[in-house]
Amino acid sequence: MKKAVLALSLALAGSSLLGGASASTTSVAQTPVSIDFWTFYLAPKFDGYINGVIADFQKAHPDIKVNYIDKQGTLEQELITNISLGTSPDVVNLWVESTQKAADSGLLTDMGALVPYAKTLYYPNSLSNFMVGGKLYGLPWYASFNAGVMAYNNDLIKKAGLKTLPKTTAQMVAFAKTIKDKTGAYGWAPAIKDPQGGSFLGVFAGEGLPLLNGNTAAFNSPAHAKLLQTYIDLYKADYIPQDLLRKEAFQLSQELYTQGKLATIIGGPQALNRVRDNNKAIYAASMITDAPVGAGRTQAGGGMDLVIPKAAKHPKEALMFAQFMTNRLNQVAFAKIVPIVPTAAGSNLDPAFAKLKASKDPIEKATGMIAANGPSLKTAIPPLKNATDLFKAFDDNIEAAFLGRKTAQAALNDAADAWNKLLK
Amino acid sequence: MNVKSLRSALSSYVFLLPALVLLVVFTLYPVLYGSYLGFTEYTATNFATNQPPKWVGLDNFRTLANDDLFKTGVLNSLKYLLVVPALQLASLAVAVLVNRQLPFIAFFRAAYYVPVITSISLAAVMWDWIYNKDGTLNWLLKGLHLMNPNSNESWLLDPNTAFWAIMFVTFWKGFGYYMVLYMAGLQTIPEELEEAARLDGATPWHVFWRITVPLMQPTILLCSLLSTLSAIRVLEEVLVFTNGTGGPLNSTYTALLYVYKKSFGGLDFNYGLASAAGLVVAAIALILSVLNFRYFREGSARA
């Protein structure tokens, strides 16, 4: 019964919001309510933007007060604690993997009744990131590409005598070797074992190789092993940094590129913020181009969403706010102040992004380029149950292969065995 | 018991009461409840559905017995105990050395204590530079011809060295703390005893082993107990140096990291299993504490 009431209220909230401007300015709250909105690592830098959106929302809905609270590294733990204490927030900013885990554990409100409308509001790829078992558990807010654009240090490219830039990951392998041989700097820092787990699966997906065949692991074919061996060879010959085995590729890329020890930095424009702040000379020598893609021709990335915990005290008002926060106008406005990829349908058509794309400034140009690529953004690894254990088993074997303890094929076979047991 | 002594006893308990309340609320209750959880199924789903923990008997312990990662963690935690004797011997020896009036001795005492107050994250950044393949340690070893100049290994990436490299940071961080405790203990030894021994012709070595060490047994017991418990519960160092992965090849994965990952690793937590693992760690710590007491008390009695 409760579920039916919730579904009905969600549907009503959804239709009232989607029905037009007049609906959006009418609050459904009968008595004043206060909702708690948790963000992840956004304060204090984006307080101005977020408080502005909240003010707009409160103006349209005078009966709803939004309390904005930014959480940082302990967001997940605090969410669990607050749910257990009966003080759950109403709207929470999570990411793909955490939404999947929280949905699996039954912590989130199923926004299923909204699906028919949501498909028109957000890019389908972005929306599918937050669908688990056909149910929608989060509204896409903003996203980032793993390999959206490639910034390159033009001084190092010239020093290496290179005339062309790599367009594919296969060309990137040759590029990395030339850069290292000619300049001593690394050419490439691909994600091979990021601490958050399973990143080499992204390499397979990028090359169009399958990860799963139904409920069975499919990443141990000879083609997969050959690809893994290519990376192992690069690692052993010191053509890619050793620390990729224990540090996040994004973080390590920023560190090395800023120090002039890496020729390319692949990712979103946000990767260049630190370079601009810490090494003006390298930032000035930086140029932007499309990131190399694998044979799969996909652009992988991660996404952030807004979820509503089941324990939220005001789910109806929470849903209204989550939709307002993630609507096209607000996402585009956010993308104009920080280089994120808006996920609301039609965001890519905003003329501001075309203007940015033509800019000479690396961050502005990259921002324009990725914003226009939003519709193609796709998460490399599909939502998985038992993701923590699956990624641990996979990463342990990948590490064993890189450290020479197992052959590439044996490591993938062992990982596949572990997955097949866990996926049963 | 007369009224006066009853009143005296009561007033003593009144003074003890605030501390007892705090002890019950923040120590006794969490320990008992945590122990109970070890025998229950208590996951995120329980939270979501508002279901209380479900009694499952020894199921969690069976899961742990079949979990290779937990077994690796326990073995590594036990191996980590090797830091205890090294830490105790070194800090006691240095405490003896700095417990005298020498020029700049205050500087040396402070210098040894600096690592204790250095945050683990700052220490991690610093040791990361030292252990890196292009870091200070490799540079030094290559300069001294103690390492192959073509060797290109980071100490934290080799499964054979990562564990010891992290353990050394524990040693470095704990050293000053135990040194201060030992210095406090040394102040309690009457100077006449050592003076008399020296007059009888005892060498400094004899004075150290026959007078200082036996009289320091209570302090040694305290320090040994504290460092044993810290070693078996090691977590911070492993978390910061391996980004929580326990790598390379789980060579630095400890029992408490397992507890941490199962309880706070994400939104798919399993408090029941984590509590059971915590109980196993607590049982090991208890056994080690008893052994410490037995060994050092007997030693003290012999002295």
Side-chain angles (χ1 to χ4, degrees):
Chain A
M1 183 64 189
K2 263 185 182 175
K3 279 182 183 167
V5 171
L6 184 62
L8 186 63
S9 60
L10 287 175
L12 287 171
S15 56
S16 69
L17 279 162
L18 297 157
S22 61
S24 69
T25 53
T26 309
S27 170
V28 298
Q30 297 304 307
T31 51
V33 296
S34 178
I35 60 171
D36 287 342
F37 169 44
W38 286 14
T39 57
F40 185 60
Y41 276 113
L42 293 183
K45 206 168 177 184
F46 305 110
D47 283 355
Y49 165 75
I50 290 169
N51 284 325
V53 179
I54 289 172
D56 290 346
F57 178 76
Q58 289 180 155
K59 202 171 161 190
H61 304 279
D63 293 333
I64 305 173
K65 182 179 180 306
V66 180
N67 302 313
Y68 159 47
I69 304 147
D70 188 65
K71 299 285 175 183
Q72 307 217 337
T74 55
L75 181 139
E76 289 185 327
Q77 288 93 324
E78 289 191 52
L79 178 59
I80 292 161
T81 309
N82 278 263
I83 288 174
S84 71
L85 292 172
T87 53
S88 169
D90 297 274
V91 181
V92 185
N93 173 197
L94 292 182
W95 49 101
V96 178
E97 294 81 9
S98 61
T99 302
Q100 164 73 26
K101 287 179 190 173
D104 270 346
S105 301
L107 292 167
L108 303 182
T109 300
D110 164 20
M111 301 175 177
L114 264 183
V115 172
Y117 306 102
K119 278 180 179 166
T120 64
L121 292 176
Y122 307 96
Y123 298 138
N125 282 347
S126 299
L127 201 64
S128 66
N129 286 339
F130 306 108
M131 294 189 76
V132 181
K135 294 175 178 173
L136 179 67
Y137 288 98
L139 299 182
W141 187 11
Y142 62 91
S144 59
F145 280 107
N146 294 346
V149 289
M150 181 172 81
Y152 56 95
N153 181 333
N154 205 30
D155 291 346
L156 279 175
I157 305 290
K158 279 185 199 161
K159 196 175 165 191
L162 285 162
K163 302 279 178 223
T164 53
L165 293 163
K167 299 276 179 212
T168 65
T169 45
Q171 290 171 2
M172 193 70 186
V173 172
F175 173 87
K177 287 179 179 173
T178 308
I179 291 282
K180 186 78 198 305
D181 290 341
K182 298 275 175 66
T183 70
Y186 292 104
W188 190 25
I192 56 174
K193 192 192 153 254
D194 278 355
Q196 68 267 26
S199 49
F200 209 85
L201 290 167
V203 176
F204 289 149
E207 292 300 323
L209 296 173
L211 306 181
L212 285 168
N213 181 9
N215 249 5
T216 310
F219 51 68
N220 58 336
S221 75
H224 289 82
K226 193 179 166 201
L227 182 61
L228 174 58
Q229 190 60 49
T230 305
Y231 282 71
I232 293 170
D233 292 342
L234 286 173
Y235 177 86
K236 284 190 176 157
D238 199 30
Y239 284 125
I240 56 175
Q242 279 189 356
D243 270 346
L244 287 170
L245 270 191
R246 67 184 193 96
K247 284 187 178 175
E248 195 185 356
F250 178 76
Q251 177 206 347
L252 189 64
S253 295
Q254 285 182 315
E255 283 173 21
L256 295 177
Y257 188 89
T258 308
Q259 294 163 19
K261 293 178 181 172
L262 179 66
T264 62
I265 186 164
I266 295 174
Q270 69 275 18
L272 289 166
N273 286 339
R274 189 164 156 184
V275 183
R276 182 186 57 190
D277 296 343
N278 295 336
N279 195 329
K280 300 241 179 309
I282 287 184
Y283 185 72
S286 294
M287 303 191 87
I288 305 291
T289 187
D290 288 317
V293 288
R297 317 295 302 169
T298 56
Q299 275 280 31
M304 305 297 276
D305 64 344
L306 294 182
V307 304
I308 299 165
K310 255 188 193 161
K313 288 201 171 57
H314 305 290
K316 203 160 56 179
E317 289 79 5
L319 184 60
M320 292 171 69
F321 176 68
Q323 283 206 304
F324 188 81
M325 195 83 213
T326 59
N327 72 26
R328 186 175 58 81
L329 288 177
N330 285 325
Q331 285 206 30
V332 169
F334 198 18
K336 285 177 185 169
I337 57 166
V338 59
I340 48 107
V341 185
T343 52
S347 303
N348 55 319
L349 303 174
D350 193 285
F353 296 129
K355 202 172 159 193
L356 284 171
K357 204 174 166 182
S359 169
K360 293 250 187 274
D361 178 76
I363 291 180
E364 284 185 1
K365 182 169 184 178
T367 304
M369 283 170 72
I370 60 148
N373 282 343
S376 67
L377 187 140
K378 200 176 174 187
T379 304
I381 305 166
L384 296 162
K385 274 187 183 281
N386 279 334
T388 306
D389 293 338
L390 291 169
F391 289 159
K392 176 75 180 153
F394 183 80
D395 281 343
D396 282 355
N397 278 292
I398 290 293
E399 190 172 53
F402 272 93
L403 292 173
R405 300 297 171 103
K406 290 182 184 178
T407 63
Q409 187 65 66
L412 292 177
N413 287 344
D414 289 351
D417 286 346
W419 274 47
N420 291 337
K421 281 179 196 149
L422 287 162
L423 288 168
K424 267 183 191 168
Chain B
M1 189 183 276
N2 59 32
V3 177
K4 196 178 171 188
S5 57
L6 183 68
R7 190 176 292 163
S8 166
L10 271 177
S11 63
S12 304
Y13 281 111
V14 168
F15 281 113
L16 284 174
L17 198 62
L20 276 174
V21 170
L22 292 175
L23 199 68
V24 168
V25 172
F26 293 108
T27 306
L28 198 61
Y29 173 73
V31 166
L32 290 176
Y33 189 63
S35 304
Y36 160 71
L37 286 183
F39 297 91
T40 66
E41 182 186 292
Y42 198 34
T43 63
T45 309
N46 293 72
F47 267 62
T49 53
N50 220 5
Q51 294 294 311
K54 183 184 158 199
W55 183 264
V56 290
L58 295 172
D59 277 5
N60 287 329
F61 296 93
R62 282 190 203 100
T63 305
L64 292 175
N66 293 317
D67 191 335
D68 288 340
L69 196 58
F70 180 66
K71 285 188 266 189
T72 302
V74 170
L75 284 175
N76 281 338
S77 292
L78 291 173
K79 203 162 88 176
Y80 216 87
L81 290 169
L82 289 171
V83 76
V84 176
L87 195 51
Q88 296 313 308
L89 279 173
S91 51
L92 177 58
V94 174
V96 171
L97 286 176
V98 299
N99 188 39
R100 59 188 71 192
Q101 291 310 317
L102 291 171
F104 309 113
I105 201 68
F107 166 78
F108 284 109
R109 286 176 187 169
Y112 285 125
Y113 199 73
V114 168
V116 180
I117 51 167
T118 305
S119 78
I120 186 68
S121 41
L122 187 63
V125 172
M126 190 183 87
W127 283 96
D128 207 76
W129 289 338
I130 295 172
Y131 287 144
N132 200 279
K133 75 180 177 73
D134 303 318
T136 326
L137 186 56
N138 280 357
W139 171 79
L140 191 69
L141 291 173
K142 284 175 186 174
L144 294 170
H145 299 285
L146 292 169
M147 191 182 204
N148 182 343
N150 298 321
S151 181
N152 203 18
E153 280 284 297
S154 158
W155 290 74
L156 292 167
L157 268 173
D158 185 340
N160 298 317
T161 55
F163 180 84
W164 306 106
I166 292 179
M167 190 192 274
F168 188 78
V169 177
T170 303
F171 176 89
W172 172 82
K173 258 191 85 59
F175 181 79
Y177 176 74
Y178 295 110
M179 186 199 75
V180 167
L181 289 181
Y182 280 127
M183 276 176 63
L186 286 170
Q187 311 284 328
T188 64
I189 298 175
E191 265 187 47
E192 305 85 66
L193 280 177
E194 293 180 352
E195 191 65 38
R198 275 193 283 272
L199 285 173
D200 286 346
T203 61
W205 187 247
H206 278 115
V207 171
F208 178 73
W209 281 111
R210 306 280 175 167
I211 310 268
T212 311
V213 171
L215 288 172
M216 287 286 284
Q217 290 280 17
T219 315
I220 294 173
L221 169 63
L222 173 72
C223 292
S224 172
L225 199 61
L226 289 176
S227 61
T228 301
L229 294 177
S230 297
I232 203 75
R233 293 185 294 121
V234 70
L235 174 68
E236 281 178 322
E237 290 92 327
V238 179
L239 265 182
V240 297
F241 279 105
T242 69
N243 285 310
T245 62
L249 300 179
N250 295 322
S251 57
T252 62
Y253 203 100
T254 62
L256 215 69
L257 181 62
Y258 184 92
V259 175
Y260 176 82
K261 299 287 263 185
K262 289 291 172 193
S263 39
F264 306 115
L267 291 167
D268 53 352
F269 57 92
N270 188 335
Y271 280 171
L273 193 62
S275 300
L279 271 176
V280 174
V281 177
I284 294 170
L286 196 67
I287 292 166
L288 292 169
S289 303
V290 169
L291 290 176
N292 260 297
F293 267 102
R294 184 164 285 183
Y295 180 76
F296 286 109
R297 274 213 176 139
E298 279 176 4
S300 189
R302 278 199 301 274

